[in-house]
Amino acid sequence: MGLFADLRDSISAVTAKLFAGEGEDPKRIGIYGPPNAGKTTLANRIARDWTGDAVGPESHIPHETRRARRKENVEIERDGQTVSIDIVDTPGVTTKVDYEEFLDHDMEKEEAVRRSREATEGVAEAMHWLREDVDGVIYVLDSTTDPFTQVNTMLIGIIESRDLPVLILANKTDLEDANVQRIRNAFPQHETIELSALEGENMDEVYDRIAEKFG
Amino acid sequence: MPEQDPGDGVQLDLISAERMEGKTSMEKIRMILDSVHDGDIVVLEKGLTPDEESRLIEVTMTEINPDGFTGIEIESFPRSETKDSGLLGRIMGKDEDPAKLTVIGPANQIQSLHKDETLISALLKRQ
């Protein structure tokens, strides 16, 4: 029994490495979306589930993630196969940043200006990476807010124009106002998976789809 | 754009596809952002490509500063599959390729920029 179990495990491990394309670089999967959609919460959930480490601090303050953060070699196992990805958590993409918004979060002007400056640099960097440096995109939307925004439309258009595989996640389904169908209606050309990254709800399906889409 | 004293008014620049033709992406972005920096609203008869939109966001971010320029508001109609002439095409007496129409303005002067299927509505702050 032990011998057969060991043999079976060895074969599974070899098969998994073959599927993962051992020797190839992990695919760089950018987590994009508007500010406060829950991108860092999702990135942390994925990183903790598969590596035990977090990616970065989560916050309700817009632009808490002001620099792209990468978690390398996240190996996601699904059905005996392993998909190896680098997760890139990016700042929320926007076309405007006003330091005065930060003043509403009990910050001094100097700190608010510093944050807004970092946020603009982070968004510029994220846009550059989208054109040059990611192999696929997880696009995170807050399912309690209207997805029909110009930034979302532009970002999805940019992603499509680059032929990048994209998975749309309708996050925050633990909240009462969540409306996943509204997101499905906004981007019917893409598969939308609902989840609560905060509560860890439906993450199994998210991992299945990540493995299918980016594996 | 012709230099004018805006006074209390807001300048609206309707830029034809022809005027954009032959310009590089960065020339287009520079033209748009120069106008928006001046407080103008820019309406493009033919919108930008996805790559140009990406670069527009990137360049906009590099120019935001706490002393005044807080970024842009932007809305577009999606590209039409039909050959019907668009709104600006009709205004300018043209009946050509109905590429998407895009409205771009300074974020700190546009109170709201709303779009539905047939209308883009900009509410400007009073001076």
Side-chain angles (χ1 to χ4, degrees), chain A residues 8-166:
Chain A
R8 189 185 60 210
D9 288 348
S10 298
I11 291 170
S12 295
V14 168
T15 309
K17 282 180 180 174
L18 283 173
F19 275 112
E22 192 180 29
E24 293 175 10
D25 291 334
K27 289 188 176 162
R28 288 153 301 185
I29 306 302
I31 300 181
Y32 281 82
N36 274 5
K39 296 180 294 301
T40 301
T41 305
L42 174 70
N44 283 342
R45 171 72 60 183
I46 296 172
R48 284 197 188 103
D49 281 353
W50 299 101
T51 71
D53 296 328
V55 173
E58 299 157 22
S59 168
H60 66 283
I61 302 172
H63 304 293
E64 183 64 29
T65 302
R66 299 183 296 281
R67 274 284 188 263
R69 301 189 189 101
R70 183 181 295 208
K71 185 73 180 172
E72 296 183 333
N73 292 312
V74 177
E75 296 194 336
I76 297 174
E77 290 182 27
R78 306 312 285 171
D79 297 330
Q81 298 182 20
T82 303
V83 177
S84 185
I85 59 173
D86 290 349
I87 297 171
V88 184
D89 179 29
T90 68
V93 174
T94 180
T95 58
K96 56 186 177 182
V97 177
D98 187 346
Y99 81 90
E100 292 188 359
E101 286 178 29
F102 293 110
L103 298 178
D104 297 335
H105 297 276
D106 295 329
M107 275 178 219
E108 297 296 322
K109 182 180 175 183
E110 192 178 335
E111 169 68 3
V113 168
R114 185 180 66 79
R115 274 192 171 237
S116 66
R117 200 163 274 145
E118 289 174 356
T120 57
E121 288 169 9
V123 174
E125 185 180 58
M127 296 311 298
H128 189 78
W129 282 34
L130 186 56
R131 291 198 308 273
E132 308 286 344
D133 205 31
V134 293
D135 301 310
V137 173
I138 295 172
Y139 200 81
V140 183
L141 289 162
D142 177 346
S143 56
T144 69
T145 62
D146 182 6
F148 288 100
T149 67
Q150 182 67 16
V151 170
N152 287 338
T153 307
M154 278 167 59
L155 262 285
I156 294 292
I158 292 164
I159 291 162
E160 288 171 347
S161 74
R162 308 202 72 78
D163 286 330
L164 292 170
V166 58

Side-chain angles (χ1 to χ4, degrees), chain B residues 9-127:
Chain B
V10 174
Q11 184 169 312
L12 186 67
D13 295 330
L14 306 178
I15 301 179
S16 69
E18 190 178 13
R19 191 177 177 96
M20 286 296 208
E21 214 171 74
K23 290 195 185 303
T24 66
S25 294
M26 285 312 296
E27 284 172 336
K28 292 179 190 174
I29 290 166
R30 196 64 271 150
M31 176 189 272
I32 293 164
L33 286 180
D34 282 350
S35 291
V36 173
H37 272 294
D38 290 340
D40 302 345
I41 308 287
V42 178
V43 181
L44 303 177
E45 179 187 22
K46 185 177 180 181
L48 302 171
T49 66
D51 192 66
E52 288 166 346
E53 288 175 340
S54 164
R55 288 173 196 276
L56 175 65
I57 296 173
E58 186 177 344
V59 176
T60 298
M61 288 296 122
T62 65
E63 298 187 359
I64 287 176
N65 69 69
D67 299 324
F69 183 60
T70 56
I72 59 172
E73 293 280 3
I74 179 169
E75 281 292 356
S76 293
F77 286 121
R79 280 181 202 286
S80 170
E81 298 298 324
T82 70
K83 282 291 177 187
D84 296 337
S85 180
L87 173 67
L88 198 59
R90 290 199 295 273
I91 292 172
M92 294 191 164
K94 294 163 69 80
D95 191 18
E96 296 178 356
D97 180 25
K100 67 180 180 183
L101 180 127
T102 300
V103 180
I104 305 163
N108 63 346
Q109 287 187 29
I110 294 183
Q111 197 158 317
S112 67
L113 194 52
H114 170 78
K115 181 183 77 168
D116 66 23
E117 288 176 2
T118 55
L119 173 76
I120 294 177
S121 175
L123 179 60
L124 307 181
K125 288 179 182 170
R126 293 185 196 281
Q127 298 290 318

